mmCIF file of all heavy atoms in Angstrom:
data_model
loop_
_atom_site.group_PDB
_atom_site.id
_atom_site.type_symbol
_atom_site.label_atom_id
_atom_site.label_comp_id
_atom_site.label_asym_id
_atom_site.label_seq_id
_atom_site.Cartn_x
_atom_site.Cartn_y
_atom_site.Cartn_z
ATOM 1 N N MET A 1 123.632 129.500 107.087
ATOM 2 C CA MET A 1 123.779 128.106 106.745
ATOM 3 C C MET A 1 122.638 127.271 107.306
ATOM 4 O O MET A 1 122.114 126.422 106.614
ATOM 5 C CB MET A 1 125.122 127.600 107.283
ATOM 6 C CG MET A 1 125.415 126.165 106.939
ATOM 7 S SD MET A 1 125.788 126.010 105.226
ATOM 8 C CE MET A 1 126.148 124.281 105.176
ATOM 9 N N SER A 2 122.236 127.508 108.528
ATOM 10 C CA SER A 2 121.173 126.701 109.147
ATOM 11 C C SER A 2 119.831 126.984 108.461
ATOM 12 O O SER A 2 118.969 126.097 108.404
ATOM 13 C CB SER A 2 121.079 126.984 110.626
ATOM 14 O OG SER A 2 120.681 128.323 110.902
ATOM 15 N N ASN A 3 119.641 128.222 107.955
ATOM 16 C CA ASN A 3 118.395 128.516 107.247
ATOM 17 C C ASN A 3 118.293 127.704 105.964
ATOM 18 O O ASN A 3 117.212 127.261 105.612
ATOM 19 C CB ASN A 3 118.313 130.008 106.916
ATOM 20 C CG ASN A 3 118.012 130.862 108.135
ATOM 21 O OD1 ASN A 3 117.542 130.334 109.130
ATOM 22 N ND2 ASN A 3 118.280 132.157 108.040
ATOM 23 N N ALA A 4 119.419 127.489 105.296
ATOM 24 C CA ALA A 4 119.407 126.685 104.061
ATOM 25 C C ALA A 4 119.047 125.245 104.369
ATOM 26 O O ALA A 4 118.314 124.586 103.599
ATOM 27 C CB ALA A 4 120.770 126.749 103.391
ATOM 28 N N VAL A 5 119.514 124.741 105.491
ATOM 29 C CA VAL A 5 119.199 123.355 105.867
ATOM 30 C C VAL A 5 117.711 123.225 106.174
ATOM 31 O O VAL A 5 117.059 122.260 105.758
ATOM 32 C CB VAL A 5 120.072 122.935 107.076
ATOM 33 C CG1 VAL A 5 119.596 121.570 107.608
ATOM 34 C CG2 VAL A 5 121.550 122.895 106.739
ATOM 35 N N ILE A 6 117.179 124.201 106.856
ATOM 36 C CA ILE A 6 115.734 124.187 107.189
ATOM 37 C C ILE A 6 114.902 124.257 105.926
ATOM 38 O O ILE A 6 113.940 123.494 105.776
ATOM 39 C CB ILE A 6 115.412 125.337 108.161
ATOM 40 C CG1 ILE A 6 116.051 125.084 109.513
ATOM 41 C CG2 ILE A 6 113.900 125.459 108.327
ATOM 42 C CD1 ILE A 6 115.986 126.261 110.485
ATOM 43 N N ILE A 7 115.258 125.167 105.041
ATOM 44 C CA ILE A 7 114.481 125.332 103.782
ATOM 45 C C ILE A 7 114.597 124.055 102.947
ATOM 46 O O ILE A 7 113.585 123.597 102.368
ATOM 47 C CB ILE A 7 115.002 126.560 102.992
ATOM 48 C CG1 ILE A 7 114.759 127.842 103.782
ATOM 49 C CG2 ILE A 7 114.398 126.601 101.626
ATOM 50 C CD1 ILE A 7 113.286 128.154 103.962
ATOM 51 N N THR A 8 115.770 123.476 102.865
ATOM 52 C CA THR A 8 115.951 122.247 102.109
ATOM 53 C C THR A 8 115.145 121.108 102.721
ATOM 54 O O THR A 8 114.476 120.343 101.993
ATOM 55 C CB THR A 8 117.448 121.855 102.074
ATOM 56 O OG1 THR A 8 118.181 122.932 101.506
ATOM 57 C CG2 THR A 8 117.662 120.606 101.263
ATOM 58 N N THR A 9 115.149 120.994 104.033
ATOM 59 C CA THR A 9 114.360 119.944 104.717
ATOM 60 C C THR A 9 112.879 120.129 104.435
ATOM 61 O O THR A 9 112.173 119.147 104.158
ATOM 62 C CB THR A 9 114.620 119.971 106.231
ATOM 63 O OG1 THR A 9 116.052 119.847 106.430
ATOM 64 C CG2 THR A 9 113.865 118.887 106.943
ATOM 65 N N LEU A 10 112.399 121.359 104.520
ATOM 66 C CA LEU A 10 110.972 121.638 104.250
ATOM 67 C C LEU A 10 110.620 121.327 102.793
ATOM 68 O O LEU A 10 109.556 120.769 102.516
ATOM 69 C CB LEU A 10 110.625 123.073 104.591
ATOM 70 C CG LEU A 10 110.614 123.392 106.087
ATOM 71 C CD1 LEU A 10 110.413 124.925 106.281
ATOM 72 C CD2 LEU A 10 109.471 122.641 106.759
ATOM 73 N N ALA A 11 111.514 121.668 101.872
ATOM 74 C CA ALA A 11 111.258 121.427 100.456
ATOM 75 C C ALA A 11 111.197 119.921 100.165
ATOM 76 O O ALA A 11 110.318 119.455 99.475
ATOM 77 C CB ALA A 11 112.345 122.083 99.615
ATOM 78 N N ILE A 12 112.142 119.160 100.743
ATOM 79 C CA ILE A 12 112.135 117.730 100.547
ATOM 80 C C ILE A 12 110.875 117.096 101.170
ATOM 81 O O ILE A 12 110.241 116.223 100.564
ATOM 82 C CB ILE A 12 113.412 117.108 101.108
ATOM 83 C CG1 ILE A 12 114.629 117.524 100.274
ATOM 84 C CG2 ILE A 12 113.315 115.576 101.171
ATOM 85 C CD1 ILE A 12 115.948 117.130 100.878
ATOM 86 N N SER A 13 110.514 117.533 102.333
ATOM 87 C CA SER A 13 109.319 116.998 102.993
ATOM 88 C C SER A 13 108.060 117.311 102.189
ATOM 89 O O SER A 13 107.168 116.456 102.062
ATOM 90 C CB SER A 13 109.163 117.622 104.418
ATOM 91 O OG SER A 13 110.250 117.247 105.193
ATOM 92 N N GLY A 14 108.004 118.504 101.661
ATOM 93 C CA GLY A 14 106.842 118.899 100.839
ATOM 94 C C GLY A 14 106.760 118.054 99.558
ATOM 95 O O GLY A 14 105.693 117.591 99.177
ATOM 96 N N ALA A 15 107.916 117.860 98.918
ATOM 97 C CA ALA A 15 107.936 117.084 97.691
ATOM 98 C C ALA A 15 107.558 115.627 97.983
ATOM 99 O O ALA A 15 106.805 115.005 97.210
ATOM 100 C CB ALA A 15 109.321 117.146 97.059
ATOM 101 N N LEU A 16 108.043 115.062 99.078
ATOM 102 C CA LEU A 16 107.672 113.686 99.420
ATOM 103 C C LEU A 16 106.163 113.600 99.751
ATOM 104 O O LEU A 16 105.530 112.609 99.385
ATOM 105 C CB LEU A 16 108.499 113.205 100.626
ATOM 106 C CG LEU A 16 109.944 112.851 100.308
ATOM 107 C CD1 LEU A 16 110.660 112.504 101.598
ATOM 108 C CD2 LEU A 16 109.982 111.690 99.335
ATOM 109 N N GLY A 17 105.636 114.595 100.435
ATOM 110 C CA GLY A 17 104.216 114.580 100.750
ATOM 111 C C GLY A 17 103.371 114.613 99.487
ATOM 112 O O GLY A 17 102.384 113.886 99.368
ATOM 113 N N ILE A 18 103.742 115.463 98.522
ATOM 114 C CA ILE A 18 103.009 115.546 97.260
ATOM 115 C C ILE A 18 103.124 114.220 96.520
ATOM 116 O O ILE A 18 102.141 113.725 95.947
ATOM 117 C CB ILE A 18 103.535 116.728 96.409
ATOM 118 C CG1 ILE A 18 103.121 118.023 97.089
ATOM 119 C CG2 ILE A 18 102.971 116.661 95.002
ATOM 120 C CD1 ILE A 18 103.749 119.255 96.478
ATOM 121 N N ALA A 19 104.330 113.661 96.496
ATOM 122 C CA ALA A 19 104.501 112.389 95.780
ATOM 123 C C ALA A 19 103.679 111.272 96.416
ATOM 124 O O ALA A 19 103.032 110.499 95.687
ATOM 125 C CB ALA A 19 105.994 111.996 95.787
ATOM 126 N N LEU A 20 103.651 111.194 97.704
ATOM 127 C CA LEU A 20 102.835 110.154 98.399
ATOM 128 C C LEU A 20 101.361 110.359 98.159
ATOM 129 O O LEU A 20 100.598 109.412 97.958
ATOM 130 C CB LEU A 20 103.150 110.143 99.889
ATOM 131 C CG LEU A 20 104.516 109.587 100.286
ATOM 132 C CD1 LEU A 20 104.749 109.764 101.777
ATOM 133 C CD2 LEU A 20 104.612 108.121 99.890
ATOM 134 N N PHE A 21 100.901 111.617 98.180
ATOM 135 C CA PHE A 21 99.514 111.921 97.931
ATOM 136 C C PHE A 21 99.110 111.499 96.520
ATOM 137 O O PHE A 21 98.067 110.911 96.297
ATOM 138 C CB PHE A 21 99.263 113.420 98.138
ATOM 139 C CG PHE A 21 97.852 113.840 97.988
ATOM 140 C CD1 PHE A 21 96.922 113.586 98.968
ATOM 141 C CD2 PHE A 21 97.399 114.476 96.831
ATOM 142 C CE1 PHE A 21 95.598 113.992 98.842
ATOM 143 C CE2 PHE A 21 96.099 114.883 96.674
ATOM 144 C CZ PHE A 21 95.183 114.623 97.684
ATOM 145 N N SER A 22 99.971 111.804 95.555
ATOM 146 C CA SER A 22 99.696 111.436 94.160
ATOM 147 C C SER A 22 99.708 109.918 93.994
ATOM 148 O O SER A 22 98.852 109.351 93.299
ATOM 149 C CB SER A 22 100.754 112.060 93.222
ATOM 150 O OG SER A 22 100.709 113.419 93.317
ATOM 151 N N LEU A 23 100.651 109.234 94.631
ATOM 152 C CA LEU A 23 100.724 107.769 94.538
ATOM 153 C C LEU A 23 99.493 107.123 95.144
ATOM 154 O O LEU A 23 98.928 106.190 94.588
ATOM 155 C CB LEU A 23 101.973 107.284 95.232
ATOM 156 C CG LEU A 23 102.240 105.790 95.177
ATOM 157 C CD1 LEU A 23 102.396 105.280 93.764
ATOM 158 C CD2 LEU A 23 103.466 105.437 96.014
ATOM 159 N N LYS A 24 99.027 107.660 96.274
ATOM 160 C CA LYS A 24 97.828 107.113 96.916
ATOM 161 C C LYS A 24 96.600 107.315 95.985
ATOM 162 O O LYS A 24 95.793 106.404 95.869
ATOM 163 C CB LYS A 24 97.572 107.785 98.265
ATOM 164 C CG LYS A 24 96.340 107.213 98.965
ATOM 165 C CD LYS A 24 96.009 108.037 100.191
ATOM 166 C CE LYS A 24 94.793 107.507 100.891
ATOM 167 N NZ LYS A 24 93.614 107.341 100.092
ATOM 168 N N GLY A 25 96.513 108.448 95.358
ATOM 169 C CA GLY A 25 95.383 108.696 94.423
ATOM 170 C C GLY A 25 95.423 107.718 93.262
ATOM 171 O O GLY A 25 94.397 107.203 92.851
ATOM 172 N N LEU A 26 96.620 107.452 92.736
ATOM 173 C CA LEU A 26 96.741 106.514 91.658
ATOM 174 C C LEU A 26 96.368 105.127 92.091
ATOM 175 O O LEU A 26 95.622 104.395 91.394
ATOM 176 C CB LEU A 26 98.181 106.521 91.118
ATOM 177 C CG LEU A 26 98.482 105.534 90.008
ATOM 178 C CD1 LEU A 26 97.758 105.921 88.729
ATOM 179 C CD2 LEU A 26 99.991 105.488 89.752
ATOM 180 N N LEU A 27 96.869 104.688 93.267
ATOM 181 C CA LEU A 27 96.551 103.340 93.748
ATOM 182 C C LEU A 27 95.085 103.168 94.076
ATOM 183 O O LEU A 27 94.546 102.079 93.942
ATOM 184 C CB LEU A 27 97.423 103.042 94.975
ATOM 185 C CG LEU A 27 98.918 102.873 94.695
ATOM 186 C CD1 LEU A 27 99.677 102.676 95.990
ATOM 187 C CD2 LEU A 27 99.184 101.731 93.746
ATOM 188 N N ASP A 28 94.432 104.240 94.515
ATOM 189 C CA ASP A 28 93.006 104.173 94.801
ATOM 190 C C ASP A 28 92.166 103.951 93.556
ATOM 191 O O ASP A 28 91.071 103.421 93.594
ATOM 192 C CB ASP A 28 92.515 105.448 95.505
ATOM 193 C CG ASP A 28 92.955 105.519 96.958
ATOM 194 O OD1 ASP A 28 93.362 104.457 97.509
ATOM 195 O OD2 ASP A 28 92.862 106.618 97.550
ATOM 196 N N GLN A 29 92.692 104.380 92.386
ATOM 197 C CA GLN A 29 91.957 104.262 91.125
ATOM 198 C C GLN A 29 92.177 102.898 90.457
ATOM 199 O O GLN A 29 91.409 102.514 89.590
ATOM 200 C CB GLN A 29 92.357 105.333 90.158
ATOM 201 C CG GLN A 29 91.972 106.722 90.599
ATOM 202 C CD GLN A 29 92.461 107.799 89.663
ATOM 203 O OE1 GLN A 29 93.042 107.511 88.597
ATOM 204 N NE2 GLN A 29 92.235 109.040 90.020
ATOM 205 N N LEU A 30 93.195 102.176 90.858
ATOM 206 C CA LEU A 30 93.527 100.934 90.175
ATOM 207 C C LEU A 30 92.398 99.869 90.201
ATOM 208 O O LEU A 30 92.148 99.210 89.184
ATOM 209 C CB LEU A 30 94.811 100.326 90.739
ATOM 210 C CG LEU A 30 96.104 100.992 90.268
ATOM 211 C CD1 LEU A 30 97.293 100.349 90.902
ATOM 212 C CD2 LEU A 30 96.216 100.997 88.768
ATOM 213 N N PRO A 31 91.708 99.657 91.337
ATOM 214 C CA PRO A 31 90.621 98.643 91.312
ATOM 215 C C PRO A 31 89.547 98.959 90.250
ATOM 216 O O PRO A 31 89.079 98.036 89.558
ATOM 217 C CB PRO A 31 90.051 98.703 92.722
ATOM 218 C CG PRO A 31 91.184 99.196 93.551
ATOM 219 C CD PRO A 31 91.926 100.136 92.682
ATOM 220 N N ALA A 32 89.202 100.227 90.092
ATOM 221 C CA ALA A 32 88.179 100.596 89.080
ATOM 222 C C ALA A 32 88.733 100.368 87.683
ATOM 223 O O ALA A 32 87.965 99.935 86.806
ATOM 224 C CB ALA A 32 87.766 102.043 89.280
ATOM 225 N N VAL A 33 90.000 100.639 87.465
ATOM 226 C CA VAL A 33 90.602 100.402 86.159
ATOM 227 C C VAL A 33 90.579 98.908 85.821
ATOM 228 O O VAL A 33 90.232 98.519 84.722
ATOM 229 C CB VAL A 33 92.030 100.973 86.103
ATOM 230 C CG1 VAL A 33 92.748 100.544 84.853
ATOM 231 C CG2 VAL A 33 92.011 102.483 86.220
ATOM 232 N N PHE A 34 90.978 98.081 86.785
ATOM 233 C CA PHE A 34 90.971 96.628 86.552
ATOM 234 C C PHE A 34 89.564 96.119 86.290
ATOM 235 O O PHE A 34 89.375 95.244 85.444
ATOM 236 C CB PHE A 34 91.622 95.889 87.716
ATOM 237 C CG PHE A 34 93.087 96.140 87.840
ATOM 238 C CD1 PHE A 34 93.663 96.236 89.094
ATOM 239 C CD2 PHE A 34 93.898 96.247 86.729
ATOM 240 C CE1 PHE A 34 95.037 96.445 89.209
ATOM 241 C CE2 PHE A 34 95.254 96.466 86.843
ATOM 242 C CZ PHE A 34 95.842 96.541 88.081
ATOM 243 N N GLU A 35 88.592 96.638 87.021
ATOM 244 C CA GLU A 35 87.208 96.218 86.807
ATOM 245 C C GLU A 35 86.741 96.606 85.409
ATOM 246 O O GLU A 35 86.080 95.813 84.716
ATOM 247 C CB GLU A 35 86.290 96.855 87.889
ATOM 248 C CG GLU A 35 84.860 96.425 87.784
ATOM 249 C CD GLU A 35 83.999 97.058 88.858
ATOM 250 O OE1 GLU A 35 84.536 97.522 89.886
ATOM 251 O OE2 GLU A 35 82.790 97.110 88.665
ATOM 252 N N SER A 36 87.046 97.825 84.990
ATOM 253 C CA SER A 36 86.667 98.245 83.639
ATOM 254 C C SER A 36 87.331 97.396 82.581
ATOM 255 O O SER A 36 86.712 97.047 81.569
ATOM 256 C CB SER A 36 87.028 99.708 83.456
ATOM 257 O OG SER A 36 86.291 100.532 84.305
ATOM 258 N N TRP A 37 88.584 97.082 82.787
ATOM 259 C CA TRP A 37 89.337 96.246 81.829
ATOM 260 C C TRP A 37 88.677 94.863 81.747
ATOM 261 O O TRP A 37 88.531 94.318 80.650
ATOM 262 C CB TRP A 37 90.782 96.131 82.248
ATOM 263 C CG TRP A 37 91.561 95.116 81.458
ATOM 264 C CD1 TRP A 37 91.941 93.883 81.842
ATOM 265 C CD2 TRP A 37 91.963 95.253 80.088
ATOM 266 N NE1 TRP A 37 92.586 93.235 80.812
ATOM 267 C CE2 TRP A 37 92.602 94.028 79.721
ATOM 268 C CE3 TRP A 37 91.828 96.252 79.148
ATOM 269 C CZ2 TRP A 37 93.133 93.861 78.448
ATOM 270 C CZ3 TRP A 37 92.369 96.044 77.880
ATOM 271 C CH2 TRP A 37 93.000 94.860 77.544
ATOM 272 N N HIS A 38 88.296 94.321 82.879
ATOM 273 C CA HIS A 38 87.645 93.006 82.891
ATOM 274 C C HIS A 38 86.323 93.022 82.143
ATOM 275 O O HIS A 38 86.030 92.104 81.362
ATOM 276 C CB HIS A 38 87.460 92.542 84.347
ATOM 277 C CG HIS A 38 86.788 91.216 84.453
ATOM 278 N ND1 HIS A 38 87.419 90.026 84.097
ATOM 279 C CD2 HIS A 38 85.536 90.849 84.843
ATOM 280 C CE1 HIS A 38 86.564 89.011 84.282
ATOM 281 N NE2 HIS A 38 85.442 89.501 84.740
ATOM 282 N N ARG A 39 85.512 94.061 82.375
ATOM 283 C CA ARG A 39 84.264 94.167 81.679
ATOM 284 C C ARG A 39 84.453 94.339 80.170
ATOM 285 O O ARG A 39 83.712 93.734 79.373
ATOM 286 C CB ARG A 39 83.433 95.357 82.226
ATOM 287 C CG ARG A 39 82.748 94.996 83.537
ATOM 288 C CD ARG A 39 81.791 96.092 83.970
ATOM 289 N NE ARG A 39 82.571 97.171 84.567
ATOM 290 C CZ ARG A 39 82.474 98.462 84.264
ATOM 291 N NH1 ARG A 39 81.606 98.850 83.343
ATOM 292 N NH2 ARG A 39 83.207 99.360 84.838
ATOM 293 N N ALA A 40 85.429 95.148 79.762
ATOM 294 C CA ALA A 40 85.705 95.338 78.339
ATOM 295 C C ALA A 40 86.170 94.058 77.704
ATOM 296 O O ALA A 40 85.740 93.694 76.589
ATOM 297 C CB ALA A 40 86.767 96.430 78.150
ATOM 298 N N ARG A 41 87.051 93.300 78.381
ATOM 299 C CA ARG A 41 87.529 92.028 77.853
ATOM 300 C C ARG A 41 86.407 91.025 77.745
ATOM 301 O O ARG A 41 86.297 90.294 76.758
ATOM 302 C CB ARG A 41 88.633 91.509 78.746
ATOM 303 C CG ARG A 41 89.440 90.395 78.115
ATOM 304 C CD ARG A 41 90.577 89.996 78.946
ATOM 305 N NE ARG A 41 90.101 89.517 80.230
ATOM 306 C CZ ARG A 41 90.867 89.148 81.210
ATOM 307 N NH1 ARG A 41 92.191 89.244 81.127
ATOM 308 N NH2 ARG A 41 90.372 88.701 82.335
ATOM 309 N N SER A 42 85.517 90.987 78.740
ATOM 310 C CA SER A 42 84.380 90.076 78.701
ATOM 311 C C SER A 42 83.433 90.426 77.549
ATOM 312 O O SER A 42 82.951 89.537 76.850
ATOM 313 C CB SER A 42 83.624 90.104 80.029
ATOM 314 O OG SER A 42 84.438 89.635 81.076
ATOM 315 N N ALA A 43 83.191 91.726 77.356
ATOM 316 C CA ALA A 43 82.320 92.132 76.266
ATOM 317 C C ALA A 43 82.952 91.813 74.916
ATOM 318 O O ALA A 43 82.243 91.376 73.993
ATOM 319 C CB ALA A 43 82.061 93.644 76.361
ATOM 320 N N TRP A 44 84.266 91.957 74.801
ATOM 321 C CA TRP A 44 84.971 91.640 73.564
ATOM 322 C C TRP A 44 84.842 90.147 73.269
ATOM 323 O O TRP A 44 84.560 89.746 72.128
ATOM 324 C CB TRP A 44 86.418 92.030 73.695
ATOM 325 C CG TRP A 44 87.208 91.871 72.409
ATOM 326 C CD1 TRP A 44 87.444 90.714 71.737
ATOM 327 C CD2 TRP A 44 87.849 92.894 71.680
ATOM 328 N NE1 TRP A 44 88.215 90.939 70.654
ATOM 329 C CE2 TRP A 44 88.478 92.286 70.574
ATOM 330 C CE3 TRP A 44 87.942 94.254 71.841
ATOM 331 C CZ2 TRP A 44 89.192 93.011 69.645
ATOM 332 C CZ3 TRP A 44 88.659 94.989 70.900
ATOM 333 C CH2 TRP A 44 89.277 94.355 69.848
ATOM 334 N N ARG A 45 85.008 89.320 74.296
ATOM 335 C CA ARG A 45 84.908 87.870 74.115
ATOM 336 C C ARG A 45 83.509 87.474 73.757
ATOM 337 O O ARG A 45 83.262 86.565 72.961
ATOM 338 C CB ARG A 45 85.386 87.120 75.345
ATOM 339 C CG ARG A 45 86.875 87.203 75.518
ATOM 340 C CD ARG A 45 87.310 86.474 76.759
ATOM 341 N NE ARG A 45 88.762 86.488 76.855
ATOM 342 C CZ ARG A 45 89.430 86.090 77.916
ATOM 343 N NH1 ARG A 45 88.789 85.592 78.958
ATOM 344 N NH2 ARG A 45 90.747 86.135 77.906
ATOM 345 N N ALA A 46 82.503 88.107 74.373
ATOM 346 C CA ALA A 46 81.112 87.831 74.079
ATOM 347 C C ALA A 46 80.799 88.206 72.629
ATOM 348 O O ALA A 46 80.068 87.497 71.947
ATOM 349 C CB ALA A 46 80.187 88.562 75.034
ATOM 350 N N LYS A 47 81.344 89.293 72.171
ATOM 351 C CA LYS A 47 81.137 89.740 70.783
ATOM 352 C C LYS A 47 81.757 88.760 69.823
ATOM 353 O O LYS A 47 81.185 88.427 68.788
ATOM 354 C CB LYS A 47 81.740 91.119 70.598
ATOM 355 C CG LYS A 47 81.514 91.668 69.172
ATOM 356 C CD LYS A 47 82.193 92.983 68.987
ATOM 357 C CE LYS A 47 82.031 93.400 67.547
ATOM 358 N NZ LYS A 47 83.102 94.250 67.089
ATOM 359 N N ASP A 48 82.928 88.217 70.138
ATOM 360 C CA ASP A 48 83.583 87.228 69.286
ATOM 361 C C ASP A 48 82.760 85.960 69.175
ATOM 362 O O ASP A 48 82.758 85.294 68.155
ATOM 363 C CB ASP A 48 84.990 86.902 69.788
ATOM 364 C CG ASP A 48 85.999 87.997 69.534
ATOM 365 O OD1 ASP A 48 85.694 88.890 68.694
ATOM 366 O OD2 ASP A 48 87.077 87.965 70.150
ATOM 367 N N GLY A 49 82.045 85.616 70.229
ATOM 368 C CA GLY A 49 81.214 84.420 70.227
ATOM 369 C C GLY A 49 79.975 84.538 69.400
ATOM 370 O O GLY A 49 79.342 83.555 69.051
ATOM 371 N N GLU A 50 79.582 85.769 69.051
ATOM 372 C CA GLU A 50 78.352 86.004 68.274
ATOM 373 C C GLU A 50 78.614 86.031 66.782
ATOM 374 O O GLU A 50 77.747 86.312 66.018
ATOM 375 C CB GLU A 50 77.726 87.362 68.709
ATOM 376 C CG GLU A 50 77.244 87.381 70.113
ATOM 377 C CD GLU A 50 76.764 88.758 70.541
ATOM 378 O OE1 GLU A 50 76.861 89.699 69.753
ATOM 379 O OE2 GLU A 50 76.326 88.909 71.686
ATOM 380 N N ASP A 51 79.827 85.704 66.346
ATOM 381 C CA ASP A 51 80.133 85.777 64.921
ATOM 382 C C ASP A 51 79.471 84.641 64.104
ATOM 383 O O ASP A 51 79.501 84.659 62.897
ATOM 384 C CB ASP A 51 81.649 85.734 64.697
ATOM 385 C CG ASP A 51 82.339 87.034 65.135
ATOM 386 O OD1 ASP A 51 81.631 88.035 65.254
ATOM 387 O OD2 ASP A 51 83.553 87.021 65.382
ATOM 388 N N GLY A 52 79.009 83.652 64.793
ATOM 389 C CA GLY A 52 78.300 82.569 64.108
ATOM 390 C C GLY A 52 79.228 81.533 63.511
ATOM 391 O O GLY A 52 78.867 80.796 62.604
ATOM 392 N N ASP A 53 80.438 81.434 63.998
ATOM 393 C CA ASP A 53 81.348 80.414 63.445
ATOM 394 C C ASP A 53 81.217 79.084 64.150
ATOM 395 O O ASP A 53 82.003 78.177 63.863
ATOM 396 C CB ASP A 53 82.808 80.924 63.528
ATOM 397 C CG ASP A 53 83.280 81.149 64.952
ATOM 398 O OD1 ASP A 53 82.462 80.991 65.866
ATOM 399 O OD2 ASP A 53 84.450 81.530 65.117
ATOM 400 N N GLY A 54 80.277 78.990 65.046
ATOM 401 C CA GLY A 54 80.073 77.699 65.734
ATOM 402 C C GLY A 54 80.977 77.472 66.914
ATOM 403 O O GLY A 54 80.929 76.440 67.553
ATOM 404 N N GLY A 55 81.896 78.396 67.152
ATOM 405 C CA GLY A 55 82.761 78.271 68.313
ATOM 406 C C GLY A 55 83.859 77.226 68.153
ATOM 407 O O GLY A 55 84.428 76.795 69.099
ATOM 408 N N SER A 56 84.133 76.799 66.912
ATOM 409 C CA SER A 56 85.163 75.774 66.719
ATOM 410 C C SER A 56 86.554 76.327 66.873
ATOM 411 O O SER A 56 87.489 75.567 67.119
ATOM 412 C CB SER A 56 85.016 75.142 65.323
ATOM 413 O OG SER A 56 85.280 76.125 64.338
ATOM 414 N N GLY A 57 86.741 77.631 66.699
ATOM 415 C CA GLY A 57 88.050 78.247 66.886
ATOM 416 C C GLY A 57 88.980 78.053 65.713
ATOM 417 O O GLY A 57 90.130 78.368 65.765
ATOM 418 N N GLU A 58 88.457 77.512 64.614
ATOM 419 C CA GLU A 58 89.314 77.324 63.432
ATOM 420 C C GLU A 58 88.939 78.302 62.338
ATOM 421 O O GLU A 58 87.897 78.691 62.186
ATOM 422 C CB GLU A 58 89.156 75.925 62.905
ATOM 423 C CG GLU A 58 89.692 74.880 63.900
ATOM 424 C CD GLU A 58 89.540 73.481 63.342
ATOM 425 O OE1 GLU A 58 89.616 73.302 62.121
ATOM 426 O OE2 GLU A 58 89.358 72.575 64.164
#
């Protein structure tokens, strides 16, 4: 019985460790994703301004 408790504890600890490691990796990538999104949105807006409609928005 005690061996099952030890194995279960180790399995849960390992799963939590992997989950935290994966979450940290994802969170570390978010600033670069937001920066890329900002650059893409800025480029899209700049392209819309080059259509020659005078910028009236109508």
Side-chain angles (χ1 to χ4, degrees):
M1 182 71 177
S2 66
N3 286 342
V5 172
I6 292 171
I7 296 295
T8 302
T9 303
L10 289 173
I12 291 171
S13 298
L16 285 175
I18 291 170
L20 288 173
F21 183 77
S22 299
L23 183 62
K24 182 188 179 307
L26 178 67
L27 291 175
D28 285 345
Q29 293 177 6
L30 284 179
V33 170
F34 291 143
E35 182 180 340
S36 295
W37 172 255
H38 179 71
R39 281 188 281 130
R41 193 174 62 183
S42 296
W44 186 297
R45 287 181 178 171
K47 181 182 175 208
D48 285 345
E50 296 174 358
D51 290 340
D53 63 357
S56 64
E58 295 181 30

